[in-house]
Amino acid sequence: MAPVRTPAELVAAARAGDRRATARLLTVLENQRADDDGTASAIAGLVKGGDAQVVGITGSPGVGKSTLVSALIGAWRAASLRVAVLAVDPSSPFTGGAILGDRVRMADHALDPGVYIRSVATRGHLGGLAATTGAAVRLLEGLDFDVVIVETVGVGQAEVEIASLADTTLLLLAPGMGDGIQAVKAGVVEIADVYVVNKADRPGADAAVRDLRAMMSLVRREPYEWRQPICTTVASEGKGLEELVAAIGKHHDWLAGGDRLAEKRRARAAAEIRARLDAALRVRFAVPEALAAAVADGEVDVASAVRRVLGDTG
């Protein structure tokens, strides 16, 4: 049996490129509970700092998020940057399990020591992310990765939490899928820093770009505010990647030009606290089966049931 390594030994091994050590560190953070033995806190104290560029990628299912992530990994690795990916997958509401299949599309990078890919289950958390994603991002930053990519579930209208987690958020659209109308209806368009029309070799790509430009024309921007660029890509063929990487870099430079990047990081910390609170409250205020049955039978109204769960019967 292999000896149990201390948090300091795990961090040192992870920084040296040991993927198992990195995986172990992330597992400790994902499974952290309020009554843990302090291991997660010790790990957090050892990985303070880091200045990774955090890039969030969101969009409806089928627009090619995982394929684009794979292409971006290749582009950043060509520039000798270390890249980590957190691919968030939805958990089953019945079994709690997740498919965790995004790594299949990123198999080309599986043996690259400069790339670490982790699939993460949402475990019931809403907003397109897992409750522990923020902690995982900070850990990977502290392990000296240059870029951390967070690929969201792809749930569409509810998926706006990524904007507070990432430094730069990409919104992916694809021609012929009604994404332009979806973006307007959901307001998702407002969270993006860079728009990406992927699968741009398909009919309707030009129309998708025109729709985005029309939407952007309706939003007033001050001269000092960021104006979202529109990039077109064919991720499966690597087309448009150079322009997209340049747009991401330009946005990061804009953030770093003032207090904007620090403000983003503070917002990320606040979002993580809220996510952890939400997860803790779900456990602490679980709904008893008997109470749910009483509401279903009409014996108790919902407002009274909520007060009972909260312990307020007054």
Side-chain angles (χ1 to χ4, degrees):
M1 181 180 294
V4 177
R5 290 187 282 186
T6 66
E9 290 172 335
L10 284 171
V11 169
R15 283 181 171 147
D18 186 334
R19 294 189 181 187
R20 290 187 178 181
T22 303
R24 176 57 185 159
L25 291 169
L26 286 168
T27 298
V28 170
L29 293 184
E30 289 172 3
N31 295 332
Q32 183 182 10
R33 301 179 306 178
D35 60 346
D36 75 359
D37 59 3
T39 302
S41 297
I43 291 171
L46 291 167
V47 293
K48 290 180 180 178
D51 191 29
Q53 187 173 355
V54 183
V55 179
I57 298 182
T58 188
S60 302
V63 296
K65 294 190 297 298
S66 295
T67 304
L68 182 69
V69 168
S70 181
L72 284 171
I73 293 172
W76 278 312
R77 288 298 293 142
S80 300
L81 300 180
R82 296 184 70 222
V83 183
V85 179
L86 295 172
V88 185
D89 287 276
S91 300
S92 166
F94 303 103
T95 66
I99 296 176
L100 307 181
D102 285 313
R103 279 188 281 189
V104 173
R105 299 182 184 87
M106 305 175 201
D108 293 344
H109 308 287
L111 300 179
D112 186 342
V115 177
Y116 180 80
I117 301 170
R118 174 84 166 192
S119 292
V120 183
T122 57
R123 299 185 182 186
H125 185 71
L126 303 177
L129 300 177
T132 56
T133 308
V137 166
R138 276 204 316 279
L139 172 68
L140 294 169
E141 282 187 293
L143 295 178
D144 301 327
F145 283 95
D146 299 298
V147 181
V148 178
I149 303 173
V150 182
E151 180 193 342
T152 66
V153 168
V155 294
Q157 291 178 329
E159 196 163 339
V160 296
E161 191 174 308
I162 186 62
S164 61
L165 175 70
D167 300 332
T168 302
T169 301
L170 311 186
L171 173 62
L172 265 65
L173 309 170
M177 297 184 67
D179 288 293
I181 296 173
Q182 180 75 1
V184 174
K185 184 173 68 172
V188 178
V189 69
E190 298 175 5
I191 73 168
D193 301 304
V194 179
Y195 301 122
V196 183
V197 178
N198 192 32
K199 304 182 181 181
D201 55 340
R202 294 186 177 183
D206 292 340
V209 172
R210 286 196 301 270
D211 287 346
L212 280 171
R213 286 177 177 159
M215 286 187 288
M216 292 172 64
S217 68
L218 300 176
V219 181
R220 290 191 59 184
R221 293 273 189 251
E222 298 296 335
Y224 57 84
E225 290 185 298
W226 173 254
R227 293 181 177 272
Q228 299 96 326
I230 302 171
C231 299
T232 56
T233 61
V234 183
S236 59
E237 300 176 11
K239 294 181 179 179
L241 265 295
E242 185 176 343
E243 293 81 0
L244 177 56
V245 170
I248 295 170
K250 186 176 181 180
H251 180 254
H252 192 266
D253 291 342
W254 177 80
L255 286 174
D259 188 47
R260 304 182 190 97
L261 188 57
E263 184 179 344
K264 276 269 187 179
R265 300 298 169 88
R266 290 192 293 268
R268 182 193 307 172
E272 183 185 351
I273 293 170
R274 287 192 295 268
R276 287 298 185 94
L277 279 171
D278 179 70
L281 289 172
R282 284 173 178 269
V283 174
R284 181 175 180 182
F285 296 106
V287 178
E289 186 175 340
L291 183 58
V295 171
D297 293 339
E299 298 172 1
V300 178
D301 64 273
V302 173
S304 298
V306 170
R307 287 194 295 271
R308 288 190 191 181
V309 172
L310 294 176
D312 177 14
T313 57

